[in-house]
Amino acid sequence: MYRAPRGMQDILPDDQPEWHYLLDRCADIAKRYGYRRIDTPIVESTDVFLRGVGETTDVVEKEMYTFLDKGENSLTLRPEFTAAICRAYLEHGMASWPQPVRLYSIGPLFRYDRPQAGRYRQFHQFNVEAIGEADPTVDAEVIDMAGLLYEELGIPRTSLLVNSIGDEACRPSYVAALRDYFARHLGDLCADCRGRLERNPLRLLDCKNSVCQRIGDDAPRSVDWLCDACASHFATLSRYLDRLGRPWQVDHRLVRGLDYYTRTVFEYQPHDVGGQSTIGGGGRYDGLIAQLGGRPTPGIGFATGLERILLNLKKAGFEAPPPARPVAYVVAIGEETAADAVALAATLRRRGIPTAGPVGGRGVKGQMRQANASGARYAVILGPDELAAGEAQLKPLQGGEPRMVPLWRIADALTADT
RNA sequence: GUGGGCGUAGCCGAGUGGUCAAGGCGCCAGAUUGUGGCUCUGGAGAUCGAGGGUUCGAACCCCUCCGUCCACCCCA
């Protein structure tokens, strides 16, 4: 028996109401903040992610679905949105639009990872980017939008962690200081961290190993190494965040795993932590557009995992909106009425009435069971007697008396009740 | 990539070496002839994840693979 690929799943009809509820909430929030939707291809040239996300990141090194198409071009199933959106920004000359360009996307991403709670190989994100503005007002805007989304969805007790990791001017010296510091504790570090020391010292900060954590407690803090411009940016953002009234805290160990981040980085975490503690996060990427071949252009973005939102909503006792149900279910009695029943159902649908049935080859009882199971409000029953009289029986399925209605008025009767 | 738990009908789930593998949900049908929901009755549906091995005999023991869940790693 065939199954969906590992770590990927079908979104079944019963799952659709909650799924679409979520999509709608995201789209609504984005709209309220003035963000417009963009959809990009699910595959991109591999280079977009190689150069955008960073060649030494885990995402690029071991998690990408990369393949050669028949023209020998290397393509990759997008593992994240930001690099792809920036590619679109450049390709379509969005630098000539009013800045910042505010965009959002919703769709599937792919990462070849070992699946576990809240982590899948195909997963979905709501993603937001504001490209072309370096001012911290935009940082505050994006951070606030994410917070409001969680608030309105009713995810209880998320905490907002923020940090600033500097830019190309000040980060190198900070990284050097960090490397020096950890090098002095080399013997006590876990094996992973010893490896990370050379390649990406920032990552030592969020190692889960308790010994490494204790060493990290006294490590140099990025906020102490910021250049004047970065320090001022962070100070201003801090004022804005305080003024917004949403609780937040600086997390000196927050660094995030993608290379393009500069200055502001942030994460939202539900308190009720399982294995996957981050529900959403993002940050500034002032060097990314240039990295992809454009003129230097600042940007900031945010992404949240829809599956993780759902995970948290369900833990909080979230109930999905009720599924869509037909208004009418047409029941045909006997072979000779089947054609007229099919035509009657077709007529109702043309009149805009959601209609299911008829299904032949079953008894009346069987069809009535179907009608009931469909959740339809009315059974429209057509038998030889009704047909002869030019009418059909309209039977309310949630209580009430059946009545006879002329065939030509059935749509009106149903519409009047809708 | 590493470690651990688990894999019995569409779903849940008993059964841990020996009759034709329980039960529940769901599905289909019937309970006097053309009417659902409750109840009752009946039926269909399982090569017990796959392959190999041990044994007179395996769903139950062993091995391999696959899948799944959880954790590490990483991240959403």
Side-chain angles (χ1 to χ4, degrees):
Chain A
M1 166 121 70
Y2 292 111
R3 310 181 191 218
R6 179 161 201 208
M8 306 191 183
Q9 52 199 281
D10 301 310
I11 303 173
L12 297 172
D14 281 350
D15 304 326
Q16 293 291 344
E18 63 185 26
W19 190 249
H20 278 273
Y21 168 78
L22 232 192
L23 300 183
D24 289 346
R25 303 305 303 169
C26 291
D28 177 64
I29 282 269
K31 189 171 158 190
R32 263 186 280 161
Y33 280 75
Y35 285 66
R36 299 197 295 159
R37 176 156 179 152
I38 181 171
D39 289 286
T40 60
I42 284 172
V43 293
E44 292 279 346
S45 294
T46 301
D47 274 350
V48 169
F49 302 115
L50 231 51
R51 302 193 52 198
V53 177
E55 301 194 27
T56 64
T57 57
D58 276 25
V59 169
V60 168
E61 274 189 337
K62 45 189 204 191
E63 296 176 2
M64 295 207 305
Y65 280 90
T66 296
F67 61 95
L68 247 38
D69 71 8
K70 291 186 193 286
E72 304 278 294
N73 308 297
S74 181
L75 299 179
T76 293
L77 260 41
R78 44 139 96 135
E80 63 124 41
F81 275 114
T82 303
I85 303 297
C86 288
R87 187 229 87 221
Y89 177 94
L90 290 169
E91 181 171 342
H92 298 98
M94 294 186 203
S96 69
W97 297 8
Q99 307 288 297
V101 175
R102 295 180 169 90
L103 302 168
Y104 80 94
S105 295
I106 299 179
L109 292 308
F110 302 85
R111 253 119 99 160
Y112 188 85
D113 224 359
R114 204 100 170 234
Q116 67 186 71
R119 194 176 77 184
Y120 307 99
R121 288 182 172 180
Q122 179 179 165
F123 60 101
H124 299 75
Q125 284 185 352
F126 167 53
N127 178 271
V128 147
E129 313 286 354
I131 306 176
E133 178 55 63
D135 192 82
T137 45
V138 187
D139 304 40
E141 170 181 295
V142 168
I143 292 173
D144 179 56
M145 181 180 353
L148 186 62
L149 175 67
Y150 299 138
E151 207 175 293
E152 291 192 346
L153 285 170
I155 295 171
R157 307 188 311 281
T158 53
S159 56
L160 168 58
L161 309 175
V162 184
N163 195 14
S164 178
I165 57 173
D167 61 10
E168 70 278 8
C170 52
R171 182 136 50 135
S173 54
Y174 170 61
V175 169
L178 207 55
R179 187 177 280 135
D180 282 352
Y181 171 81
F182 280 115
R184 287 200 296 277
H185 299 273
L186 190 60
D188 300 322
L189 295 175
C190 70
D192 282 342
C193 282
R194 269 176 238 164
R196 287 195 269 246
L197 187 57
E198 270 315 304
R199 312 180 52 210
N200 199 345
L202 285 176
R203 299 231 57 80
L204 291 254
L205 286 173
D206 60 2
C207 180
K208 302 278 198 317
N209 179 295
S210 60
V211 177
C212 298
Q213 287 221 334
R214 221 168 311 123
I215 297 171
D217 285 341
D218 294 321
R221 299 174 160 190
S222 61
V223 294
D224 298 325
W225 289 77
L226 298 179
C227 59
D228 289 349
C230 286
S232 152
H233 182 98
F234 191 47
T236 306
L237 173 62
S238 300
R239 278 214 322 283
Y240 294 166
L241 290 178
D242 287 340
R243 183 70 176 73
L244 280 168
R246 188 185 310 288
W248 68 285
Q249 50 188 302
V250 178
D251 181 348
H252 297 289
R253 335 183 68 121
L254 180 59
V255 294
R256 302 186 57 78
L258 309 178
D259 282 355
Y260 51 64
Y261 285 116
T262 56
R263 293 192 169 170
T264 311
V265 292
F266 64 96
E267 277 184 11
Y268 279 92
Q269 301 191 347
H271 285 194
D272 206 1
V273 288
Q276 311 301 326
S277 54
T278 304
I279 190 169
R284 192 160 264 293
Y285 45 85
D286 294 344
L288 177 54
I289 297 273
Q291 181 67 37
L292 290 173
R295 302 197 60 76
T297 308
I300 180 162
F302 164 79
T304 188
L306 298 189
E307 286 85 357
R308 287 191 187 173
I309 288 180
L310 235 30
L311 206 63
N312 281 278
L313 283 181
K314 284 177 179 167
K315 253 189 269 178
F318 165 75
E319 290 208 19
R325 302 177 177 292
V327 170
Y329 194 104
V330 177
V331 172
I333 301 173
E335 285 286 313
E336 59 277 27
T337 60
D340 290 285
V342 168
L344 175 57
T347 300
L348 297 181
R349 290 162 185 149
R350 279 161 179 67
R351 291 287 301 273
I353 300 164
T355 302
V359 173
R362 288 176 191 251
V364 179
K365 183 190 280 253
Q367 291 185 69
M368 287 301 292
R369 277 199 191 119
Q370 295 291 314
N372 185 61
S374 78
R377 283 216 296 281
Y378 293 93
V380 179
I381 303 164
L382 192 64
D385 297 347
E386 287 84 354
L387 202 53
E391 47 188 26
Q393 185 190 148
L394 202 58
K395 179 173 185 171
L397 291 171
Q398 276 109 52
E401 289 303 308
R403 64 196 158 105
M404 302 306 293
V405 177
L407 286 173
W408 63 275
R409 282 179 57 184
I410 288 183
D412 290 328
L414 289 168
T415 305
D417 203 304
T418 302

